[in-house]
Each structure stands twice: as C-alpha cells, then as structure tokens.
Amino acid sequence: FGADDMFNGENIDSGGRLSYFVKVDTTSNDDDKKSKDSLHLRIYLGDKEIRHLKQPTPKKSGVYTWKWRLDEKGVDRPSRRSRSSRGEPSGTTVLPGTYRMVLSKDSVTVETQITVKLDPRLDVDLNSLTEQYNMAKVLEQMQQTAADAVKQLTDSKEIISKFNESMKDLDKEKYQDVIDQSNKESEKIEKLVALYIGKEDDRQGITQNPEVSIVSRMYSAQSYVLSRPSGLTSTEFRLVDQAKNALIEALKQTNSYFEKDWIEYQSTVKALDLSPFKEVSTFSIIE
C-alpha cells in the first residue's frame, strides 16, 4: 500500500565490528603509501591464523570500521578459467569462542580480542553446531581437491593448445598427425572436466544445466548442511556421501589419465623437433 513517510532507521549490522584510528601521511609520495592492500587484518584462533583480510589505506586520517563476517578462510572453486582474486575467499562460519584480531599497517601492529557467542534468543546445542561445522569443513576439503584437479586438467589443455599453435606455425602438414592427436587429448580432458563442473553451456541468458555434476552435488550437500544448526539428519549424510563417491570416481579417472594417456602424449611431443630454427643457406652473387 502507498505511504508518504520516510524511514531512516539503520538495521543492526551482522558480524564482528572493529573500530580503529589511522593516521595518513598525505605529504608522502612513497610507492608503499599508494599500495591498495596496505591495511591487513589477521584473525587467529589460538596460534592458528584462520582469516587474512585486506583493505586499501584510507585517504584521510580518522576513525574507521572494519567488519569481519565471522568466517574462516574459504577454498577455491572449480573453474575452466583462471580467476584472479583480490583476497581470500569466504569460508565456514566460526564456532563460538574467543578470537584474536591483529591489525597492521607497515610496521605498526595493534591487536584486540573478539568473543563470538551463540544467539541467546535461540536454543542451539553446541554439539550439533560443531557437527555442522565439521561437516562443512569436510565439504570444503572436497571442493578444494576438485578445484585442484580441474586446474591441472585445464592447465594441461592450455599446454596442448599452445603446442598445437606452435606446430601449425612451424609446419602444419608435417605435424598434422600430432595435431590430430592433440585434439583428441583435448577432448578427453574436456570430458573429465565435465565430470566436475558439467559441460560448457554457451546459451545466453539465465540458464540451468540439467546435468548433475560433482560441483552441483557438493553445493546441494553444503546447502543442506548449513541449514541444519540443530543437528544433521540422514539426508545430509546421504548427500555428502553421494558427492564424495562421485568425486572419488572422477579423481580415479583423472589420475588414470595423467598416469597413462598424458605421459604417452608428453613422450610424443618431446620426441618432436619443435625448434623454430631452420637450416640456413650461404649467399653469394655471381661475379
């Protein structure tokens, strides 16, 4: 329904907030002062660093606020393409406890503590919450393993592509057999990548790949696990097992490829003379 009033209230922010004062030397032209990541916030549980956040140096001196989303360092995502990241990915939400926050800029370091507690309005069992946390960490480990495997596959495919380009530039007809073999190796690798993240979808717009991949299984299991702070059920355990079994099978096929097919392909390429140098002639003119 219509209204003609203006509401300016601010909702309570989530996460842990740290207020700090920073003095900026505006007269200095040092390259270090221009660094985009000159403020570092490291968070520790005991002696273990669980998060490392970065921020640009403020342009003016003053009091600022830094929010930590109460999460640990996350893991990589399986992808066909290399991705550059400005910082750590977000990971699993931490358990209740006392955490040390260390803020540093250049050679100046200050620290404080933050205590994470359960919401007193909710009846949450710490053992159930710990079970959820541990399962989330298991899924993270699985995701990182899948990401590492996919990266090795895509890197290998990129190597094949570069070799193909070199052979085409040097003598396409001479190396045609190896070029054909390279194309077959690329197809094998793409089929393995598809096990993890599905086939590449070139459709435009908002689309959903109907195929069930390892990533979709892991994300589904993760979604269910994170929705159960009161304790995991047989559904969550079944989903995690399905994702784990699919990942184990894909890793077996991936390892088998690199232990056999990839080594044979390497031997074929290494046996070629791909030097760009050609036989030279001696020139003279008729006197």
Side-chain angles (χ1 to χ4, degrees), residues 34-177:
K34 297 179 182 179
S35 172
K36 294 183 178 180
D37 292 324
S38 56
L39 283 179
H40 299 260
L41 177 61
R42 292 176 172 85
I43 300 165
Y44 297 86
L45 177 59
D47 294 330
K48 180 183 179 183
E49 180 181 311
I50 63 169
R51 199 77 167 99
H52 181 190
L53 304 172
K54 302 177 184 179
Q55 269 192 14
T57 303
K59 295 182 179 180
K60 297 180 181 180
S61 299
V63 177
Y64 296 88
T65 300
W66 200 326
K67 184 177 74 173
W68 170 42
R69 298 184 181 276
L70 305 183
D71 56 349
E72 298 183 358
K73 175 185 177 181
V75 296
D76 299 322
R77 290 188 299 166
S79 174
R80 282 186 174 84
R81 297 165 185 83
S82 299
R83 299 176 178 179
S84 58
S85 176
R86 293 183 177 180
E88 292 179 348
S90 176
T92 305
T93 301
V94 299
L95 291 170
T98 300
Y99 297 84
R100 187 162 54 98
M101 307 176 76
V102 180
L103 180 65
S104 61
K105 178 182 182 298
D106 301 329
S107 59
V108 180
T109 299
V110 293
E111 68 176 76
T112 187
Q113 289 186 337
I114 183 171
T115 301
V116 179
K117 299 180 180 180
L118 292 173
D119 191 332
R121 300 168 298 179
L122 303 177
D123 183 17
V124 178
D125 179 57
L126 183 58
N127 291 331
S128 298
L129 199 64
T130 302
E131 181 184 44
Q132 179 195 45
Y133 170 87
N134 291 335
M135 187 62 79
K137 298 299 288 185
V138 168
L139 287 167
E140 276 192 347
Q141 184 182 26
M142 290 167 55
Q143 180 177 320
Q144 184 62 62
T145 302
D148 293 340
V150 171
K151 186 178 187 306
Q152 182 165 296
L153 287 166
T154 54
D155 286 350
S156 300
K157 187 176 178 181
E158 181 64 25
I159 291 172
I160 291 175
S161 177
K162 291 180 179 178
F163 272 128
N164 262 8
E165 292 301 318
S166 298
M167 289 185 287
K168 289 177 183 179
D169 291 340
L170 291 172
D171 194 329
K172 184 177 180 179
E173 293 184 2
K174 176 181 178 181
Y175 299 116
Q176 188 60 55
D177 290 343

Side-chain angles (χ1 to χ4, degrees), residues 54 138 162 180 183 211 224:
K54 302 177 184 179
V138 168
K162 291 180 179 178
D180 292 339
N183 292 333
E211 294 183 3
Y224 272 79

Side-chain angles (χ1 to χ4, degrees), residues 206-256:
I206 301 175
T207 61
Q208 183 175 1
N209 195 327
E211 294 183 3
V212 178
S213 65
I214 291 170
V215 166
S216 66
R217 288 187 183 277
M218 288 193 297
Y219 287 173
S220 178
Q222 183 184 57
S223 176
Y224 272 79
V225 168
L226 296 181
S227 69
R228 299 292 300 178
S230 58
L232 304 182
T233 69
S234 59
T235 299
E236 286 72 51
F237 285 105
R238 184 169 64 252
L239 290 173
V240 172
D241 284 341
Q242 289 174 351
K244 182 182 294 185
N245 292 335
L247 177 59
I248 290 173
E249 179 58 33
L251 293 175
K252 286 181 180 178
Q253 294 185 40
T254 302
N255 292 336
S256 176

